[in-house]
Amino acid sequence: MKTKLRNYHAVCWDEPIIYELNRNGERAILVPEVDKKITETVGDGISSIPKSMRRKNAPQLPALSQPQVLRHFLHLSQETLGIDFNIDIGQGTCTMKYNPKINEQLVNSEEVAEMHPYQDESTSQGLLEIMYKTEQLFKEISGLDRFSLHPGGGAHGIYTISSIIRAYHKSRGEEDKRNEIITTIFSHPADAAAPRVKGYKIIIIYPDDNGCPDIEALKKVVSEHTAALLITNPEDTGIYNSKITEFTKIVHDFGGLCGYDQANANGLLGITRAKEANFDLSFFNLHKTFSSPHGCGGPASGIVGVTNKLAKFLPIPVVDYDKKNNKYFLDYDRPNSIGKVKDFYGVIPVILRAYAWIMSLGAEGLKEVSNVAVLNNNYIMKKILELRGVNMAFPEHKNRIEQVRYSWKKLTKETGISTEDIQRRIFDFGTHYWTSHEPWLIPEPFTIEPSESYSKDDIDEFIAILGQIVKEAYEEPKKVKNAPYKSSVHRINHDVLEDPSKWAITWRAYKKKYNGYFQPK
Amino acid sequence: MYKIGLIVNPIAGMGGRVGLKGTDGQKIFQKAKRLGAISLSPKRTSAALEPLSVIQDKLKLITCPGDMGENETLSRGFVSDIINGIKSKETTFADTQKAARIIRDRGVDLLLFAGGDGTARDIYIAIGTTLPVIGIPTGVKIHSAVFASSPSKAGELSLLYLQKKIHQLREVEVMDIDEQAFRNGIVKARLFGYLKIPYERRCIQGGKLGSSPSEEIIQKAIAEDIIESMDNDFLYIIGPGTTTRAIMQRLGLSYTLLGVDALYRKEVVGLDLGESELLKLINKKKAKLIITPIGGQGYIFGRGNQQLSPQVIRKVKKENIIIIATYNKIVSLKGAPLLVDTGDLSLDRELNGYVQIITNYHERTVYKIKF
C-alpha cells in the first residue's frame, strides 16, 4: 500500500462547560416519590443523618434534559483524539497498544461488574481465583516470589515498594541510618518522588557519555546510608543498561535493596527478568504492557512483586489458595505487613484484562509481543533518523529496546521550529505526539514508541506525517508555527498551569477567577 | 494598547567580526570602524520586531531617535514615539542609560534592548529590576542570561508576554567580562546584577506530571535543607546569586546579592567580603562554602565570584564546598559538566570529579565538575 497523507479534520463543537448549559427547571430524570410504606418502615433516609452533617442548600448542579446531556458528552468525545482512532505511537513511554475489545465484555459482564468487595469469600471464588492465578503468572514473568495486586497505579506501586523498603530496614534496626534512595535522572520521575513521600533523601545519578547510568557515580554515593536503588531499565531513552547486575551488586554489597521499575516492560517479556538481575522488588503497570485502556481511558494498576525475604511485608490481604479444601481466600494474618495501601484488593477490571491478555497469548505469545515491539521500534528508528534535522539522544548507542528519545535540535537551529511547534502541527494529520520528556535534558525532545500493535503501514503513515512536517519546517516554517488548523483545540496556554491562583478545578473556582474563557478577572 | 520600549545599541557586535572581542570604549569602536566593521544591530533588531507585526495595530513603540531604534521601527512600519534628549548618531553608553530611564518613566509594559553584555549592564544600572526586559542578542559578548537565544525568539517572547500568555518573571544574571583582559586571553567575568525577564518554561513542562513548583519555591526548599544541617562549629561563606540569597532570606538576615557574605551560628559576620577578609575569617575557623553556578554555562568558580580565590578555596577544602542549584538549573545544562576556572590550573584539576549538588530539599544530584 502506498502511504497517503489523510485530508483530516477534527470535529469542533465549541462546546460550553456543562454548567453553562444550565436551564433552570429542566430535568433529565424525575425521581419518583417514595412509597409511603417504605418511609414508614425505614424512615425518610434523611433524618437519620445528624443535623450538623446535613447540607443547608441543595448542590448547584446544572439542570439539563437527557438529550442535552447526551449531546454534550458526545460532543466532547468527538473532540477527543483517542487510542482507538489514531496511530498512537507518538506517545512514547506510555506503551499505547491495542486493548482487545473482548476483554471489555468480560469486565462489563454481570459476574464482574455486579461483584461487591464485601461479598463473602464463598461467593467470590471466581474472582479470587483470577487474582491468585494472575499472581502466579507474574511470578513467572518476573522470577520474583510474591505479589501484591493492590497498588492503583505506577507511582502507587513505587510508594508501596518504598514502604516495604522502610519496613525491611526497620526490621533490622536500620530504619534511621538507611535514609537515602538512589535513582537515575532518566528513571521515571516517580522513582524519586514516591520514596520522598516516605521521608527518604533522594540521590540522582546522571548518565555517562554512552547514555547509561554512570556506574562510577553510583560507586561514589553508595554507602551504609543507602536504603535502596530504584531504577528503570531500559530508561525512557530506550537504552538498556547492560551493567545492571553490577549496579545491583554494588548496592547489595552495602546492604541496600534494589527495586526495579518495570512500568514499561514491553520490550523484555520472556527475555530478561528482575530475578536474574538480582532485584529484590519490582512493579509492573498492568495498564501499559499488559493491555488496559489508560491515561484518561481507564484506571491503572501497578502491581508489586518481591523476593521471599520481603514477602512478609506485603500489604494485606494477599490472596491464597487452600489446596486441601480447594478454596481461595484472603489472608489478613500477616503481622509484619506494611498494612493497607489501598481499599480492598486491587483494581479488578485492570487485573482481569491483564489476566485475559496474558492467557490469550501464552508464554510464547508474550515473547513475541516483545520481539515485535523491539522490531517495530528499530524499524521506525531507522526511518526517523533518515529525516532531515533529527537526531537521537546518545547516538553512539545504536540498539534500542522499545522506544527512543529523539531530538530536533538541528531542525530547530536551522528552521526555528521547535518540538512543540511540531506537536501542534501533527494534530492536523489526525494523530499526536506528546512532549512529556521530564527531565528536558535532551534538547527539543520527542519520544516514539510503536509497541507491537502497529503494522508496517501504520508506522509508514506516521513517518510520512513527520516527513511532511519536516518538509514544511524547511520550506514554509510559518505554516508549522501557526498550527494547528484542523484540530478541535487550537492553542493552549500552558503558563496558567504554573500559577495556582489561575487554576480552576471546579466550576465554583472558575466563576470566582474567570469571567469567561481565559479572561482573568 | 500594548506599549514596548526599544533601545538599540547601534555599535554592539561590531568588534566581533573583525576579531576585537567587543566594542566597549571609543578607541575600540573607532578601530572597529577602521577595520571595516558593519553594525549587525539594525538587521537583528528588525528580525526581533517581525513576530510583533501580528499586533502592529495595537502596539505602540517608544524608542530613541535614529540609529538607536527609530530606523528599525520605521523599516518595519511600526508606529513609534521618539523620546527627546537623545542624539541620533554616535551615541554612547550614557545615552543607553538615559534612554532606559526616560522610557521607564513614560510607562511601558516591557523594554526590548538590542546589544551585548555591555548594553545589559547599562540597562541594569539605569533601571534595575523595575521593569521586565528582554535582550535581543546583537553584541559580541553574550554571557548574560537576559538575552533570548535568537533575535526572533526575543520577538516571540515579547509577544507571548504582551498577550499575557506568559505571566511569570524571573531574575537573571547580568554578567560582563573585562574586554581588555579578554583580548589578552583571560576571561574575567563579573556579576553585575540582575534584570527581570519574562520566563517561558520551555525546558520543563507538566502534562503527565502535573505542574512543577516555581524556581523560587525550590530555592526556598534548598535553603531549608542547608539551614537544617548547619553546623555551629563552622563558618559559612555564602557566594553570590539568587539561589544562595534564599538562605539569607530564610534566616531573615541582611545579605548582598552580588557579593560574598559570611555567617557564623546563623548570624552575619561579614557582608560583601573580599579575598583578604575571607582569608582572615577562615584562618580562625573551619569553614564551609556555599556556591551556585553563575550564568547559563555552569561555572561554579571564576565567573562572577573571583573573591573566592584559589587560596580561599584551598583553605576551605574541597569537601567543605557545598554546591546548590535547582534541579531545573542543572537540567538546563543539558548534561554539560559544571566548570571551574579559578586561575590556578592545579586547583582546577583537584576540583575535578563527582560532586553532590543539592537540587531540592533532601535531594542530591550527582554531577561532574570539569575544567
Side-chain angles (χ1 to χ4, degrees):
Chain A
M1 190 178 85
K2 184 148 168 32
T3 307
K4 192 173 135 257
L5 290 176
R6 290 164 201 273
N7 185 14
Y8 165 86
H9 204 302
V11 171
C12 184
W13 285 104
D14 195 20
E15 187 68 12
I17 292 172
I18 196 163
Y19 284 91
E20 294 171 311
L21 295 169
N22 171 66
R23 275 162 71 178
N24 288 339
E26 278 201 20
R27 284 290 179 276
I29 300 164
L30 288 174
V31 184
E33 299 237 336
V34 182
D35 192 280
K36 212 175 158 193
K37 253 190 177 165
I38 295 175
T39 318
E40 279 167 11
T41 320
V42 297
D44 62 2
I46 290 175
S47 47
S48 59
I49 300 170
K51 214 174 175 182
S52 60
M53 285 174 72
R54 283 182 235 160
R55 59 184 307 154
K56 292 180 183 66
N57 306 309
Q60 289 186 20
L61 298 173
L64 277 84
S65 68
Q66 265 193 30
Q68 249 186 331
V69 174
L70 186 64
R71 263 201 318 268
H72 175 71
F73 286 106
L74 283 174
H75 289 171
L76 295 184
S77 79
Q78 286 185 333
E79 288 182 332
T80 308
L81 190 68
I83 169 96
D84 284 338
F85 56 97
N86 90 100
I87 300 169
D88 210 342
I89 62 186
Q91 196 169 319
T93 78
C94 290
T95 322
M96 304 311 284
K97 59 170 67 184
Y98 179 63
N99 311 123
K101 295 303 154 201
I102 192 166
N103 294 346
E104 299 310 307
Q105 285 184 29
L106 294 177
V107 167
N108 292 319
S109 67
E110 224 174 55
E111 292 89 333
V112 179
E114 299 294 319
M115 290 289 287
H116 193 282
Y118 283 138
Q119 252 173 262
D120 192 81
E121 275 171 11
S122 64
T123 66
S124 51
Q125 284 294 301
L127 268 189
L128 288 173
E129 181 182 349
I130 285 171
M131 290 162 78
Y132 180 82
K133 288 189 170 164
T134 302
E135 181 181 357
Q136 308 315 307
L137 294 173
F138 276 93
K139 281 158 70 172
E140 190 56 37
I141 288 167
S142 66
L144 297 174
D145 302 315
R146 277 236 69 168
F147 271 80
S148 166
L149 308 183
H150 294 205
H156 198 185
I158 303 164
Y159 175 82
T160 306
I161 282 178
S162 308
S163 303
I164 294 171
I165 290 166
R166 191 169 266 286
Y168 169 76
H169 292 303
K170 191 177 178 183
S171 75
R172 297 160 56 91
E174 292 193 329
E175 187 186 20
D176 294 332
K177 187 177 93 178
R178 295 199 178 265
N179 58 0
E180 293 177 355
I181 296 274
I182 302 172
T183 185
T184 70
I185 190 88
F186 280 126
S187 285
H188 299 134
D191 291 326
R196 195 198 298 261
V197 177
K198 289 299 290 183
Y200 281 110
K201 295 185 180 179
I202 308 301
I203 297 177
I204 300 166
I205 289 174
Y206 264 64
D208 61 17
D209 295 339
N210 294 316
C212 277
D214 189 339
I215 197 162
E216 296 307 317
L218 176 71
K219 288 177 189 166
K220 287 273 178 222
V221 297
V222 68
S223 74
E224 74 277 9
H225 295 295
T226 304
L229 168 76
L230 291 184
I231 195 166
T232 308
N233 191 28
E235 296 181 301
D236 284 346
T237 50
I239 295 174
Y240 187 83
N241 176 4
S242 53
K243 290 182 191 156
I244 194 66
T245 47
E246 287 176 59
F247 273 70
T248 50
K249 183 170 187 311
I250 290 167
V251 174
H252 282 149
D253 285 349
F254 277 87
L257 294 171
C258 295
Y260 189 3
D261 179 331
Q262 291 208 273
N264 181 348
N266 214 41
L268 301 177
L269 297 173
I271 297 165
T272 68
R273 302 197 306 176
K275 182 189 180 177
E276 280 70 29
N278 296 321
F279 279 101
D280 308 290
L281 316 94
S282 178
F283 82 95
F284 293 94
N285 275 351
L286 299 188
H287 52 281
K288 286 185 174 177
T289 313
F290 300 94
S291 174
S292 244
H294 61 292
C296 302
S301 172
I303 65 170
V304 166
V306 294
T307 54
N308 271 330
K309 77 171 174 187
L310 300 174
K312 62 182 176 183
F313 301 114
L314 283 173
I316 46 167
V318 293
V319 182
D320 255 320
Y321 176 54
D322 174 358
K323 208 171 174 186
K324 207 169 90 191
N325 297 310
N326 185 25
K327 193 180 140 241
Y328 296 93
F329 65 100
L330 295 165
D331 181 8
Y332 284 89
D333 185 19
R334 303 174 67 83
N336 295 298
S337 165
I338 58 167
K340 283 276 188 192
V341 293
K342 192 177 190 305
D343 279 346
F344 307 118
Y345 329 113
V347 184
I348 299 298
V350 185
I351 293 167
L352 179 58
R353 284 191 199 100
Y355 176 75
W357 189 79
I358 294 168
M359 292 304 286
S360 70
L361 285 162
E364 270 179 40
L366 288 186
K367 194 168 181 178
E368 194 180 343
V369 162
S370 287
N371 283 335
V372 175
V374 174
L375 182 64
N376 271 356
N377 183 46
N378 283 276
Y379 173 71
I380 201 168
M381 177 172 83
K382 187 166 183 299
K383 290 284 173 188
I384 286 177
L385 293 176
E386 285 167 10
L387 297 173
R388 192 175 170 191
V390 75
N391 209 325
M392 64 177 176
F394 310 106
E396 58 288 341
H397 208 112
K398 298 256 182 286
N399 299 318
R400 300 295 166 111
I401 307 295
E402 83 295 11
Q403 61 186 323
V404 178
R405 184 151 299 168
Y406 303 90
S407 170
W408 291 115
K409 185 182 173 189
K410 189 161 176 274
L411 180 119
T412 305
K413 206 172 162 218
E414 290 171 353
T415 66
I417 298 299
S418 68
T419 190
E420 286 159 327
D421 294 324
I422 295 172
Q423 183 202 22
R424 284 185 282 263
R425 179 62 178 144
I426 208 167
F427 282 115
D428 290 333
F429 299 93
T431 185
H432 76 126
Y433 83 53
W434 75 342
T435 52
S436 177
H437 308 281
E438 187 73 18
W440 200 294
L441 201 55
I442 309 301
E444 304 302 329
F446 65 110
T447 312
I448 302 295
E449 181 186 12
S451 80
E452 74 285 6
S453 293
Y454 294 97
S455 68
K456 182 174 170 298
D457 287 340
D458 293 338
I459 294 174
D460 287 341
E461 184 176 335
F462 191 83
I463 290 295
I465 294 167
L466 282 182
Q468 172 66 22
I469 298 172
V470 168
K471 189 166 171 275
E472 289 170 359
Y474 281 97
E475 290 170 8
E476 37 183 346
K478 267 199 178 144
K479 192 170 185 178
V480 184
K481 269 269 174 239
N482 296 327
Y485 308 95
K486 296 172 165 187
S487 176
S488 301
V489 179
H490 288 259
R491 290 180 98 91
I492 288 174
N493 173 10
H494 285 278
D495 201 51
V496 296
L497 299 175
E498 316 282 312
D499 182 357
S501 72
K502 298 199 167 54
W503 295 351
I505 293 159
T506 63
W507 176 241
R508 192 182 297 174
Y510 180 74
K511 276 201 296 190
K512 214 187 271 177
K513 292 180 180 178
Y514 291 81
N515 272 328
Y517 283 103
F518 310 117
Q519 290 296 315
K521 257 184 189 169
Chain B
M1 200 66 165
Y2 303 120
K3 277 200 221 166
I4 294 188
L6 174 70
I7 297 175
V8 178
N9 173 356
I11 62 163
M14 285 177 71
R17 293 284 168 95
V18 290
L20 287 177
K21 305 196 164 75
T23 17
D24 289 357
Q26 272 298 317
K27 257 191 182 164
I28 292 295
F29 169 57
Q30 295 303 340
K31 189 173 176 189
K33 262 174 78 174
R34 276 200 308 280
L35 287 168
I38 46 159
S39 174
L40 296 173
S41 274
K43 204 175 147 206
R44 293 185 148 233
T45 305
S46 178
L49 293 177
E50 208 271 313
L52 293 168
S53 53
V54 292
I55 52 162
Q56 197 155 354
D57 303 342
K58 288 179 268 176
L59 178 66
K60 191 181 212 174
L61 279 157
I62 297 170
T63 189
C64 311
D67 292 345
M68 277 183 67
E70 185 183 11
N71 298 346
E72 285 82 356
T73 53
L74 281 176
S75 75
R76 277 275 161 207
F78 282 99
V79 178
S80 60
D81 212 340
I82 311 300
I83 59 172
N84 295 321
I86 306 286
K87 289 177 287 178
S88 60
K89 273 200 179 319
E90 307 275 310
T91 50
T92 67
F93 70 92
D95 294 293
T96 306
Q97 295 184 9
K98 190 173 169 193
R101 282 191 203 102
I102 296 172
I103 289 172
R104 181 201 45 204
D105 296 343
R106 288 279 295 272
V108 290
D109 303 311
L110 177 73
L111 173 64
L112 264 172
F113 69 92
D117 286 334
T119 322
R121 202 174 70 197
D122 290 329
I123 302 290
Y124 162 70
I125 291 167
I127 62 166
T129 52
T130 55
L131 187 68
V133 303
I134 296 172
I136 305 166
T138 69
V140 181
K141 297 167 293 162
I142 306 284
H143 298 91
S144 305
V146 311
F147 291 99
S149 55
S150 69
S152 62
K153 272 270 172 295
E156 284 169 27
L157 196 59
S158 309
L159 182 65
L160 291 172
Y161 181 72
L162 290 177
Q163 293 177 329
K164 296 201 165 27
K165 288 180 178 166
I166 291 179
H167 305 273
Q168 277 194 47
L169 296 172
R170 65 167 175 163
E171 291 175 59
V172 295
E173 296 109 334
V174 176
M175 308 274 289
D176 201 1
I177 57 168
D178 181 333
E179 281 188 12
Q180 194 59 44
F182 191 36
R183 286 188 194 101
N184 297 326
I186 303 159
V187 181
K188 260 189 173 171
R190 229 185 102 189
L191 175 60
F192 276 91
Y194 287 80
L195 283 169
K196 247 185 209 168
I197 64 164
Y199 184 23
E200 191 197 17
R201 278 185 67 197
R202 282 250 20 235
C203 49
I204 327 134
Q205 40 78 58
K208 189 175 176 183
L209 296 160
S211 107
S212 322
S214 74
E215 293 294 278
E216 206 187 318
I217 292 170
I218 306 290
Q219 288 176 351
K220 278 186 191 164
I222 292 171
E224 196 60 47
D225 186 304
I226 293 278
I227 292 164
E228 186 184 90
S229 59
M230 272 191 171
D231 185 333
N232 274 342
D233 294 340
F234 278 82
L235 175 85
Y236 283 81
I237 301 169
I238 316 287
T242 52
T243 317
T244 48
R245 172 179 67 183
I247 300 167
M248 305 300 267
Q249 287 173 332
R250 197 88 183 145
L251 289 170
L253 302 173
S254 53
Y255 58 87
T256 61
L257 179 58
L258 309 178
V260 174
D261 305 331
L263 298 180
Y264 184 65
R265 304 202 162 172
K266 294 177 186 162
E267 296 293 339
V268 174
V269 291
L271 290 175
D272 202 8
L273 301 164
E275 184 195 4
S276 59
E277 293 160 299
L278 284 167
L279 287 172
K280 230 182 267 170
L281 283 170
I282 313 170
N283 271 334
K284 289 186 215 143
K285 292 186 189 80
K286 291 184 289 180
K288 286 183 193 279
L289 169 59
I290 303 175
I291 46 167
T292 188
I294 298 284
Q297 290 136 348
Y299 275 97
I300 49 168
F301 288 120
R303 298 288 182 277
N305 56 8
Q306 276 86 349
Q307 307 93 315
L308 304 170
S309 67
Q311 225 186 326
V312 172
I313 298 165
R314 279 189 198 282
K315 201 101 199 166
V316 168
K317 291 194 191 109
K318 189 181 171 183
E319 66 265 27
N320 290 321
I321 298 170
I322 300 169
I323 304 169
I324 62 176
T326 62
Y327 177 89
N328 288 325
K329 197 168 179 181
I330 298 303
V331 165
S332 72
L333 296 174
K334 306 281 180 222
L338 292 179
L339 301 170
V340 287
D341 182 11
T342 61
D344 176 339
L345 217 63
S346 69
L347 176 61
D348 290 350
R349 207 167 287 136
E350 285 166 41
L351 290 169
N352 249 2
Y354 293 95
V355 282
Q356 292 192 33
I357 307 167
I358 302 180
T359 43
N360 199 336
Y361 180 72
H362 285 185
E363 180 187 280
R364 307 283 184 272
T365 295
V366 192
Y367 214 72
K368 266 186 196 161
I369 298 181
K370 276 191 181 163
F371 76 98

